[in-house]
Amino acid sequence: MTEEVVERKATNVHWHDGEVTRGDRAAMLGHKGVTLWFTGLSGSGKSTVAVAVEKALTARGVLSYRLDGDNIRLGINSNLGFSAEDRQENIRRVGEISKLFADTGVVVLSSFISPYAEDRALVRKVHEEGDLPFMEVFVDCSLEAAEERDPKGLYKKARAGEIRGFTGIDDPYEAPVNAELHLRTDQMTLEQEVDAVIQSLQERGIIV
């Protein structure tokens, strides 16, 4: 990430600790906070999995919240485009927001293409520096399967030259190498994917 993106312009600012600890919030909620970072091609099923996981967690009494790529760009990141620099800043902001939610004790479900490994690594670093759990979830499917699904018609537009810099077509996707969880959505059912996420959370002691 370039220095310009992360340059801190505010001066004379200091972190102010409160008297309610992360442990206090976990005791109140009955579970810990964590960020699940769903990354994959457009059409791979990131949002579909996150929606289903959120429903399953709610049924278990676990407080969760989804941060979805399009939803974020309709609000806090509405001033960002799709250049490499803007994508970088988009992910940086979402990483910081996810960190705050996780610190609160929420199971955060962040669904973003996030095509660049460096950007995802920086989000992980932000969580590690805050001693917060972070799980990268590679929502994997073949480009052919993603194009066949094409729920938003974006691949068709990219192939026609109507969209430039589209991930997987004329812009790269750098697949995770050591993701905590690897979901093959072109080979697994949605139920299997949700079960894998829930089991992974249980194994890490995030939820019971």
Side-chain angles (χ1 to χ4, degrees):
M1 183 173 291
T2 60
E3 293 181 1
E4 290 80 2
V5 173
V6 297
E7 177 186 3
R8 182 176 291 108
K9 296 182 178 179
T11 59
N12 299 314
V13 292
H14 305 277
W15 185 265
H16 186 194
D17 288 315
E19 295 185 5
V20 177
T21 68
R22 190 177 298 162
D24 293 333
R25 291 190 286 271
M28 178 179 67
L29 293 170
H31 59 81
K32 298 177 182 178
V34 62
T35 291
L36 296 174
W37 192 271
F38 296 88
T39 175
L41 293 170
S42 177
S44 62
K46 299 180 299 299
S47 295
T48 300
V49 176
V51 166
V53 170
E54 183 181 37
K55 184 176 181 179
L57 289 172
T58 299
R60 290 171 170 267
V62 175
L63 182 61
S64 62
Y65 193 79
R66 285 186 305 109
L67 297 174
D68 185 81
D70 282 357
N71 294 355
I72 290 291
R73 283 184 175 276
L74 286 170
I76 192 170
N77 286 350
S78 61
N79 65 323
L80 298 177
F82 289 92
S83 67
E85 293 76 15
D86 279 3
R87 286 179 174 180
Q88 196 173 63
E89 175 61 9
N90 181 55
I91 297 305
R92 187 195 70 81
R93 292 183 192 178
V94 175
E96 293 288 352
I97 294 169
S98 299
K99 174 187 172 183
L100 292 174
F101 269 99
D103 184 50
T104 305
V106 175
V107 175
V108 191
L109 310 170
S110 295
S111 303
F112 295 84
I113 294 174
S114 45
Y116 307 129
E118 180 184 14
D119 295 345
R120 299 194 303 267
L122 285 171
V123 175
R124 180 186 294 275
K125 182 180 178 182
V126 164
H127 284 72
E128 289 176 346
E129 289 176 346
D131 195 26
L132 285 163
F134 178 85
M135 293 171 55
E136 188 175 44
V137 182
F138 182 20
V139 185
D140 187 11
C141 79
S142 67
L143 178 60
E144 292 74 20
E147 282 199 72
E148 185 176 340
R149 295 171 183 172
D150 202 10
K152 303 173 186 176
L154 299 178
Y155 283 102
K156 184 177 180 180
K157 290 182 178 180
R159 290 293 188 187
E162 297 175 27
I163 301 177
R164 299 293 183 185
F166 191 76
T167 300
I169 303 300
D170 56 352
D171 206 62
Y173 176 76
E174 299 171 0
V177 177
N178 294 306
E180 279 76 11
L181 193 57
H182 188 169
L183 304 177
R184 288 301 307 258
T185 60
D186 53 359
Q187 301 176 14
M188 302 169 68
T189 66
L190 182 58
E191 183 179 3
Q192 289 173 329
E193 295 158 17
V194 172
D195 287 346
V197 174
I198 297 297
Q199 182 178 344
S200 188
L201 288 171
Q202 291 173 325
E203 290 173 350
R204 287 168 170 78
I206 305 297
I207 65 174
V208 296

